[in-house]
Amino acid sequence: MARNASLSGYLEFLPTERLTELHVLDTLRHVFEIHGFSSLETRAVETMDTLLQKGEIDKEIYAVSRIHQDERAGKEAKLALRFDNTVPFARYVTENAGHLAFPFRRYQIQKVWRGERPQAGRFREFSQADIDIVGDGALPFRCDVEIAVVMARALEALPIGDFTLRVNNRKLSEGFYRTIGINDTAAVLRIVDKLEKIGPDRVAQELIDTLGASPRQAQSALDLAQIRTVDGSFAAKVRELVGEDVTALLNEGLTELSELMSELNARVPGRAVADLSIARGLDYYTGTVIETTLHGHEELGSVCSGGRYESLASKGKRVFPGVGLSIGVTRLLSALLNSGELAASRSVPTVVYVTLRSAEDWGAAQDIADKLRSRGISAEVALSAEKFGKQIKYADRRGIPFVWFTDDDGRHEVKDIRSGEQSEAHPSHWAPPAEDLNPQIIRKTENL
């Protein structure tokens, strides 16, 4: 996949890579749908005001305008391409609340656009896959649990290798910071969120310089961030740090994270770790926060992230709390394709290439192909009656595994051009081996 692009930041897959992408998208759809999530697609454009209300990302937004403006242009709302699926989803919920049954469960797989500087793993146009559960006024915590379990199962179903869900709870973190005397919890969460990028020393110094924290408070914040457990034992470690002074908010966070870890270990064992360094810098997260590390590709950062939000979507006094996670599909795929870890077994869906003995045989060859297609076997027909050697070479270049021949007496034979084996066949009942019916996505573990 390492090819020069004519326009940087915009990825175009070759056919074999596109087959891999489609397999990933179809797998995600299947897992989401068997867990009861409905498919949703929102428009590509939103008003600039809608996109800017939930974050300071104005420099990354692509504005949309017409080449030929008219006198009404100044009165119309400024439009821009969506930079994620969450903000458009919040707008969709508020506009369509009267037509939705809550809790509303949706998945959304669409392109998004960001005006970032293109670099390895970062694109200006890319696909994201989101799942969310949104309530009307209230949303049970068990929805946090379900979202995490479903996403873990979706990632397990993909041929991506080992991964870990790193989970935390903002209530736990905020309660702890207040307990040690730091009240600007939103600011400290944003600083702690930089821990893996800038290291503990610079995080501590920034807490001191920016928030006026004492060295002891900064060290306590780092002590919390260093807690990582594969079970519920993190709770005891947190209590050791604060002693008897456990606030209601801290206790609520401990309880929720303990329940989440317990359910994850029961339903997707070995996939989660309680990592109290996870903060998620966006202010709208209010409880559960999750980031996902792909083993062997830690340089990608989080390939799947999200969490709980209480008021991302609202309409007057009506509030729609929710919880959601998002996979950066393009980011994930580009890394695995570039490393050679993922590949399709062939570059086309075609299983059989039906050859021609003469130009007049084209109609009969189409009849053969249609019989195969009626039984779910992908087939295509030669366009001209070239020498059989050329027709076979063409099929081989296309990656088609089988070539079909019909003689003057109407007898049929099919050849596996990989092995050279050729045998009698009939379009009404011949079928390829199950593994050849559709392209297979191969994960080459020897490259890991």
Side-chain angles (χ1 to χ4, degrees):
M1 202 187 75
R3 303 183 302 277
N4 291 328
S6 59
L7 196 59
S8 64
Y10 300 89
L11 186 63
E12 292 180 330
F13 288 128
L14 291 172
T16 183
E17 297 163 348
R18 175 59 174 160
L19 283 172
T20 304
E21 182 185 36
L22 288 174
H23 172 81
V24 167
L25 299 181
D26 289 343
T27 300
L28 292 174
R29 290 189 190 99
H30 173 71
V31 175
F32 296 159
E33 288 182 1
I34 63 173
H35 285 87
F37 288 79
S38 300
S39 177
L40 177 65
E41 182 170 316
T42 59
R43 63 199 184 208
V45 297
E46 297 287 341
T47 66
M48 192 76 77
D49 289 343
T50 297
L51 293 177
L52 291 178
Q53 66 184 352
K54 292 298 180 181
E56 298 176 359
I57 41 75
D58 53 302
K59 293 182 180 179
E60 297 180 4
I61 291 179
Y62 277 114
V64 175
S65 62
R66 295 171 55 194
I67 294 177
H68 301 291
Q69 300 285 4
D70 57 34
E71 64 276 5
R72 296 173 299 174
K75 301 177 182 179
E76 294 174 350
K78 292 183 178 180
L79 301 179
L81 295 173
R82 61 171 178 263
F83 62 84
D84 73 357
N85 291 327
T86 304
V87 174
F89 175 56
R91 188 267 309 158
Y92 177 92
V93 168
T94 58
E95 289 184 358
N96 296 281
H99 305 282
L100 302 176
F102 292 96
F104 178 51
R105 306 156 67 90
R106 84 82 164 88
Y107 76 89
Q108 188 170 347
I109 304 174
Q110 286 187 255
K111 298 275 191 184
V112 298
W113 296 267
R114 293 182 189 174
E116 296 184 305
R117 182 174 65 86
Q119 52 186 301
R122 290 198 176 274
F123 305 96
R124 289 175 172 171
E125 177 186 65
F126 54 97
S127 295
Q128 285 190 193
D130 293 33
I131 53 172
D132 286 81
I133 304 177
V134 174
D136 185 357
L139 189 71
F141 174 74
R142 60 186 54 177
C143 292
D144 296 39
V145 175
E146 187 168 9
I147 281 284
V149 170
V150 172
M151 191 57 88
R153 287 174 174 169
L155 292 171
E156 282 185 332
L158 298 178
I160 62 173
D162 241 354
F163 64 90
T164 298
L165 295 184
R166 303 163 66 193
V167 302
N168 194 9
N169 193 292
R170 292 278 286 253
K171 296 174 185 176
L172 187 164
S173 299
E174 291 185 22
F176 180 87
Y177 299 143
R178 289 175 182 171
T179 298
I180 63 173
I182 303 177
N183 293 320
D184 191 351
T185 57
V188 70
L189 283 166
R190 285 193 293 272
I191 295 171
V192 171
D193 194 46
K194 304 176 186 177
L195 183 61
E196 291 187 352
K197 293 181 180 179
I198 66 177
D201 291 343
R202 288 180 61 187
V203 165
Q205 194 60 51
E206 193 167 336
L207 288 171
I208 294 169
D209 294 343
T210 304
L211 300 181
S214 68
R216 182 174 181 179
Q217 288 173 322
Q219 186 57 52
S220 293
L222 288 175
D223 289 341
L224 179 73
Q226 290 169 1
I227 295 176
R228 291 172 180 79
T229 69
V230 296
D231 53 24
S233 59
F234 67 87
K237 295 178 183 293
V238 174
R239 294 180 189 278
E240 287 178 10
L241 292 177
V242 296
E244 299 297 322
D245 193 11
V246 179
T247 63
L249 184 63
L250 174 56
N251 193 60
E252 186 177 354
L254 289 168
T255 299
E256 288 185 353
L257 187 55
S258 296
E259 181 180 343
L260 179 60
M261 282 298 297
S262 176
E263 287 296 323
L264 284 169
N265 282 329
R267 302 188 183 283
V268 282
R271 291 302 187 188
V273 58
D275 184 341
L276 305 196
S277 70
I278 300 302
R280 302 296 297 156
L282 295 174
D283 291 345
Y284 58 68
Y285 290 116
T286 57
T288 300
V289 284
I290 299 175
E291 293 188 353
T292 307
T293 300
L294 182 62
H295 297 184
H297 288 280
E298 286 78 9
E299 76 283 355
L300 288 174
S302 180
V303 297
C304 172
S305 56
R308 176 77 173 223
Y309 47 87
E310 295 299 332
S311 57
L312 183 66
S314 60
K315 187 175 184 180
K317 294 183 179 180
R318 195 176 179 186
V319 178
F320 303 94
V323 60
L325 286 169
S326 175
I327 301 176
V329 176
T330 304
R331 181 176 171 80
L332 176 61
L333 268 178
S334 65
L336 296 177
L337 290 170
N338 268 329
S339 67
E341 294 168 50
L342 277 189
S345 59
R346 61 179 188 263
S347 59
V348 293
T350 311
V351 182
V352 181
Y353 187 73
V354 183
T355 62
L356 296 181
R357 294 180 63 86
S358 68
E360 291 74 23
D361 292 335
W362 190 80
Q366 286 289 355
D367 292 339
I368 293 168
D370 282 342
K371 285 183 180 179
L372 293 168
R373 293 164 184 153
S374 69
R375 297 189 295 110
I377 301 169
S378 176
E380 63 180 85
V381 177
L383 295 176
S384 60
E386 298 180 295
K387 291 181 179 180
F388 282 144
K390 286 189 175 181
Q391 295 185 61
I392 293 171
K393 284 183 179 178
Y394 175 77
D396 190 31
R397 286 198 305 272
R398 293 264 290 151
I400 302 170
F402 295 96
V403 175
W404 194 279
F405 303 98
T406 304
D407 64 20
D408 289 336
D409 297 323
R411 289 189 296 266
H412 307 283
E413 290 189 346
V414 66
K415 180 176 184 176
D416 185 335
I417 60 177
R418 299 162 300 182
S419 66
E421 295 182 6
Q422 187 165 326
S423 58
E424 291 187 6
H426 194 280
S428 297
H429 52 73
W430 178 85
E435 63 270 18
D436 287 325
L437 186 59
N438 297 295
Q440 302 297 305
I441 304 306
I442 303 164
R443 183 164 184 270
K444 301 177 181 179
T445 54
E446 65 268 19
N447 290 325
L448 297 181

